[in-house]
Amino acid sequence: MVNAASTGLSTRDLYLFNQGELFHSYRTFGAHPIRSGEKQGVRFAVWAPHAKQVRVSGSFNHWNSENHAMELVGETGVWSLFVPGIGPGELYKYEIETLEGDWLLKSDPYAFGAERRPDTASVVHDLTGYKWRDEEWQKRKVNGSPYNEAMTIYEVHLGSWKNKGKEQFLTYEEMAGELVEYVASMGYTHIELLPILEHPLDQSWGYQVTGYYAPTSRYGSPEQLMILVDKCHERGIGVILDWVPCHFCKDDHGLRRFDGTPIYEGTDWKRAEKPIWGTLSFDFGKSEVQSFLISNAIFWMDVYHIDGLRVDAVASMIDLNFDKPPELHTFNRHGGSEYLDAISLLKRLNETVFHYYPQALMIAEDSSAWPAVTSPTYMGGLGFNFKWNMGWMNDILRYIELDPNERMHHHNLITFSLVYAFSENYILPLSHDEVVHGKRSLLNKMPGTYEQKFAQLRLFYGFWMTHPGKKLLFMGGELGQFDEWKDAEALDWMLLDYPLHLAMKDYVRTLNTIYSNQPPLWERDCDPGGFEWIDVHNAAQSMIVFMRRGLTGNRFTITICNFSYQHHAEYRIGVPESGAYRTLIHSEDAVFGGSVQEVPRLLRSSDIPWHGREYSVAVEVPPFSFQLLTYEGGAGVERLV
């Protein structure tokens, strides 16, 4: 046993780690190229509190660890060793002798790099050499507010957006060219990456992690990932990372029983097991686990300039018995099923992230009815700033799959979301989870003929884009894919050879552009004063009409949706102002594959009271159509004709 000073470790840092308060623990743990005295080498540090001994085995010692035993630092449970004469690129693992005398071979929980699967060694890496060029982006973020800004998120699985063949992936750097330019050209404001933390199984899509501090080597080096993020920022695109603190996989080289005992998952096996996923939950009440997880969130923002995290499966964290059979149920000290330690961790996580990164996006993927998820912790909330609106998503997908003749009986599915739309700061997700496992693609969820499917998908996208809440669309949705997402293959880009699919892509791009240019559609997403129903009760005709208001002046848009087969040659809607209304987009415009050859671009109001308003406009409404109008004003509108 040695003291911290002799290892180059900070006594204070190790104390904070044991207290759950070392929020940059990645600077202490793992493999760090450093100079010790006159010698250059690598310092290794690992937490293994119940190990009898720990050694470092690697390429530098031909995987013979006999001469590289680590030393226990005080009473901290931390082991350390400085190895002179080695540097970045070395492969290594920890050999750990358990209390029973067994030997385990483990990857480094804090490794900055990893071998490409199926190999599992950690890789020494120096993350300090990259020269970032995103100063302008960082300054812009400081002056912004995500609540009243446009946000259209393109959700991407890097392995299957495009590839070169089976398991022949594009690199992060190649994505920095092709993917980023595509996303920018389509008008998205953000990219959200399915988890890129190192994971052993491709089919897990990254949601079962072994290397929390290592970007997966499937797509190249850490520096190449930095290039990808940097390029996104250069093009004005934010980067959100799917992050998975709810569980980890059981692979032998990973965190499970790391030192022969359950130090990451905890000793209560019923609480640790997640049987539906075959994984283990973290012990969220353990101080060192808190340091590990909160530091990991900070790490991706510190080192890779990630703009935000979408925190996966929050419902499974805050409920001790989420999707567990009765024999695995456990209860908290009050007799309830709330996982109090997980709730405390999430609050502390968000407080810490916003302390260091006030403009960060912390997004909860939460399917529960837990209240105040996006309220500050000082008001009793969990402290996230956005939450996926799973209720809206489930209702609208259920509605849109109905036979149009049945929709009149389920009108509440498209209106109910506005009852609670402002109770949280919402993102409206059309994510990967909705286009896999037999759920069908978005296009194939639509009933009817080939042309009707496209018409309804255009209608659906229009409703989604103008409904309060930020937007997220999984890759391929813009192409009108017929097939479900195939995680081992590239998207069906050949569909763009067919007119309706190409037109769908153009339609989505146009929607994104109009959305970004119309502040009423996003300035007051979190404010009930920014939304107003015009026609909400017309279930018989499956019609809805609503208005979105901006922050300044008399700026508003009007959304008209017809979810039925019916054609209305003259459908009258009440409007709040006299004057001219311009059609911003019409989903049945022939340029998007629709049936209307010439869209009326300018509509004039009449002094005919309607829908409780003094004025009204008459609109032709085709079947399965969406129209978006904007108010142009009263006097002087002749110049617009």
Side-chain angles (χ1 to χ4, degrees), residues 50 66 68 93 96 106 110 149 154 204 276 278 322 336 391 402 405 410 449 454 464 499-500 509 512 516 581 634:
H50 305 119
E66 186 174 346
H68 289 95
K93 282 189 176 182
I96 300 173
K106 292 285 189 177
Y110 283 88
E149 293 179 351
Y154 189 64
S204 78
I276 61 168
F322 180 88
L402 291 169
N405 292 317
H410 302 274
T449 65
F454 280 93
W464 163 68
L500 280 181
R509 179 174 56 229
N512 285 343
S516 293
Y581 290 79

Side-chain angles (χ1 to χ4, degrees), residues 144-158:
S145 171
Y147 305 107
N148 54 11
E149 293 179 351
M151 187 184 299
T152 48
I153 305 168
Y154 189 64
E155 187 187 36
V156 177
H157 176 253
L158 289 181

Side-chain angles (χ1 to χ4, degrees), residues 389-408:
N389 193 335
M390 311 292 276
W392 170 87
M393 179 268 297
N394 285 317
D395 283 352
I396 187 58
L397 291 182
R398 180 182 165 199
Y399 178 84
I400 205 68
E401 291 183 63
L402 291 169
D403 184 296
N405 292 317
E406 292 297 315
R407 289 175 181 165
M408 68 177 70

Side-chain angles (χ1 to χ4, degrees), residues 404-423:
N405 292 317
E406 292 297 315
R407 289 175 181 165
M408 68 177 70
H409 306 299
H410 302 274
H411 195 66
N412 63 300
L413 292 176
I414 51 171
T415 62
F416 179 67
S417 60
L418 271 303
V419 173
Y420 61 86
F422 308 102
S423 62

Side-chain angles (χ1 to χ4, degrees), residues 182-212:
Y182 177 80
V183 171
S185 73
M186 289 294 294
Y188 290 98
T189 64
H190 292 74
I191 292 176
E192 182 173 320
L193 302 176
L194 268 64
I196 55 169
L197 285 63
E198 192 58 80
H199 53 282
L201 182 65
D202 291 358
Q203 287 72 27
S204 78
W205 311 331
Y207 289 97
Q208 297 188 10
V209 178
T210 51
Y212 274 80

Side-chain angles (χ1 to χ4, degrees), residues 16-17 20-22 25 110 287-295:
L16 291 174
F17 174 72
E21 298 177 358
L22 188 62
S25 61
Y110 283 88
S287 299
E288 294 84 357
V289 171
Q290 294 168 11
S291 289
F292 177 82
L293 288 174
I294 296 175
S295 293

